[in-house]
Amino acid sequence: PHPFNPKPGGDAPLTEMTVTLATSSTRFSAALNAAGKISVAGAVRPAGPGDDSGPSPFLTRVGAFDVDLALEGIVLLTRQTDQPGIIAAVSAVLGEAGVNISFMTVSRTSRGRDAVMALGVDSQPDADLLAKITGLAGITEFALVKED
């Protein structure tokens, strides 16, 4: 059976979860809540019509940011200042390197303040490419999330 579908007669399937870790030693400080703890929340969504893969886990919150992020493949998370051109600049750097974007979501705390962008990519960016992204004006940090 799929990990989010119990056996017949078993417990109800997991549909959502919030996790808070009592540590602030993270390389992606946007995941920290107001108390300085790493905080993420998620949900399990049912498969769509014609999708035989079963329910899928999604992140719905990273720290103070609402997100809609499928937990599959390779995801590049960036934290940046909410300003015009950031999405285009990151997309251009990835495109020039031949890295395809499969999905994207952006969340911000408020206009002109902190924002988080999550980009699903088809291939893992190398260290040089990540350095270029980190060097873009307005980008403050990044993290790679990979499906095991």
Side-chain angles (χ1 to χ4, degrees):
H2 191 278
F4 299 108
N5 283 331
K7 295 178 190 172
D11 293 334
L14 177 68
T15 59
E16 63 182 70
M17 178 186 307
T18 300
V19 177
T20 302
L21 304 174
T23 180
S24 62
S25 60
T26 176
R27 295 179 63 186
F28 194 66
S29 64
L32 300 179
N33 65 15
K37 296 179 180 179
I38 298 169
S39 178
V40 295
V44 177
R45 300 216 177 110
D51 182 356
D52 295 333
S53 64
S56 301
F58 278 75
L59 277 182
T60 57
R61 192 159 189 80
V62 174
F65 300 93
D66 290 324
V67 296
D68 186 17
L69 178 59
L71 293 175
E72 59 185 42
I74 303 167
V75 178
L76 173 63
L77 289 171
T78 64
R79 182 178 182 196
Q80 69 266 350
T81 303
D82 179 46
Q83 64 187 37
I86 295 278
I87 295 169
V90 173
S91 298
V93 169
L94 290 170
E96 288 167 6
V99 176
N100 188 52
I101 298 170
S102 58
F103 64 85
M104 182 192 77
T105 184
V106 180
S107 179
R108 64 184 184 182
T109 55
S110 63
R111 187 175 183 177
R113 307 284 296 193
D114 280 339
V116 168
M117 176 169 49
L119 298 160
V121 293
D122 289 342
S123 56
Q124 183 167 331
D126 64 25
D128 290 338
L129 184 55
L130 293 172
K132 284 182 186 177
I133 291 170
T134 304
L136 294 172
I139 299 288
T140 55
E141 64 183 332
F142 77 89
L144 278 176
V145 178
K146 296 188 292 184
E147 180 179 39
D148 284 336

